[in-house]
Amino acid sequence: MARYRFGTFECRECGVGAVTNDDWRSRKKAATRRSIQEHALRLFAENGYDNTTVEDIAAAAGVSHMTFFRYFPRKENVVQTREYDPMIEELIIDRPPHESPLAAIGAALSTSMAAILPTDRQRILTRVRLMMSTPQLRALQLIAMDETRDLFARSLARRNGQAQGDFVPAVHARVAVAVFVAALEAWAQTDDGDLVAIVESAFSAAETATASQPPDPVSSRTIRSPRSARVAEPQRRSM
């Protein structure tokens, strides 16, 4: 049975018996990683990304700089996190089959954000603002977008029983990423914006924009060009 713990996402099989040493080590590693990241984001917000060193982050988190590098290969990696991906993937897969791909992804993101934000709102907001405002993190943002696109495409393929790598879910995933990024950027520009409502509004707008429209009877009429009309007129004979 899978278990979700929002704020710090956890998914594992629940069984009978005491917590194993492996469980304890995994939790300790997760707690250390999260502590390093939280201190880093706080220092970035207070002092600026460029003015914060790895040594500053390690000292604030109470670890050595070598421990920092065991969790994050470079300073910029501390801004990136994909701990919620398993939850989002399962939420997309479990959406009702009658929903469109965009509606399924939008609903899954709204559900996940509603669960995550009560405990992680400031951390996520700081990360988004850093990614938007720091030139050094732009390349990391592009990588993150590609990984999110792959997550959406994989989830849609599993939901629809399609082969991974199929072209159609890949296209839907690209559209969904663009919509989600637009929602995050709009949210990051507010101080007290409701991310769930913004995500829902963004995906609703995308659904409206991509919905099939009935043909316009006026525009579907055959329009003759002025040149054709002149040719059709009887020519006057010269006297």
Side-chain angles (χ1 to χ4, degrees):
M1 175 180 179
R3 184 177 76 179
Y4 298 94
R5 186 177 69 208
F6 300 118
T8 300
F9 174 77
E10 180 182 271
C11 177
R12 66 182 181 88
E13 292 299 319
C14 298
V16 177
V19 175
T20 67
N21 288 335
D22 288 342
D23 290 334
W24 180 82
R25 291 191 187 95
S26 296
R27 293 181 184 182
K28 184 178 180 181
K29 288 181 179 179
T32 301
R33 179 184 178 87
R34 185 178 180 86
S35 175
I36 293 172
Q37 187 174 52
E38 288 178 345
H39 284 290
L41 293 177
R42 176 180 59 80
L43 291 173
F44 291 158
E46 292 175 357
N47 305 325
Y49 178 83
D50 289 334
N51 296 326
T52 302
T53 66
V54 168
E55 287 73 15
D56 294 334
I57 299 169
V63 300
S64 68
H65 72 281
M66 293 303 296
T67 299
F68 176 94
F69 287 120
R70 281 203 295 269
Y71 288 91
F72 302 98
R74 293 178 298 276
K75 185 176 78 169
E76 58 264 31
N77 295 124
V78 80
V79 182
Q80 189 177 29
T81 181
R82 307 208 67 85
E83 62 189 292
Y84 306 116
D85 283 7
M87 175 178 63
I88 295 172
E89 183 168 358
E90 291 303 320
L91 286 171
I92 294 173
I93 293 169
D94 291 341
R95 293 305 303 174
H98 67 270
E99 288 184 340
S100 69
L102 280 182
I105 294 175
L109 289 173
S110 297
T111 300
S112 64
M113 292 298 106
I116 294 166
L117 289 175
T119 56
D120 270 6
R121 183 184 188 279
Q122 191 56 47
R123 187 166 71 116
I124 296 173
L125 181 59
T126 301
R127 285 182 55 249
V128 173
R129 285 176 172 172
L130 280 168
M131 298 283 273
M132 288 174 53
S133 62
T134 309
Q136 297 92 322
L137 299 177
R138 288 293 185 181
L140 193 64
Q141 184 180 27
L142 293 175
I143 294 173
M145 290 170 60
D146 287 345
E147 292 174 345
T148 301
R149 177 204 64 204
D150 293 342
L151 167 69
F152 289 167
R154 181 174 66 249
S155 303
L156 289 176
R158 288 182 57 191
R159 174 176 178 260
N160 300 329
Q162 296 169 297
Q164 291 193 22
D166 188 271
F167 180 70
V168 173
V171 172
H172 291 151
R174 286 182 180 275
V175 175
V177 168
V179 176
F180 188 39
V181 169
L184 288 173
E185 290 178 347
W187 176 60
Q189 295 172 10
T190 70
D191 291 326
D192 56 356
D194 184 346
L195 179 57
V196 174
I198 294 173
V199 167
E200 291 175 347
S201 177
F203 276 88
S204 176
E207 282 277 293
T208 302
T210 57
S212 299
Q213 299 293 332
D216 186 345
V218 174
S219 62
S220 63
R221 294 174 184 170
T222 302
I223 300 177
R224 297 170 63 189
S225 69
R227 179 179 177 85
S228 299
R230 287 195 300 269
V231 171
E233 292 176 357
Q235 297 182 353
R236 182 180 301 174
R237 295 181 178 179
S238 59
M239 297 299 294

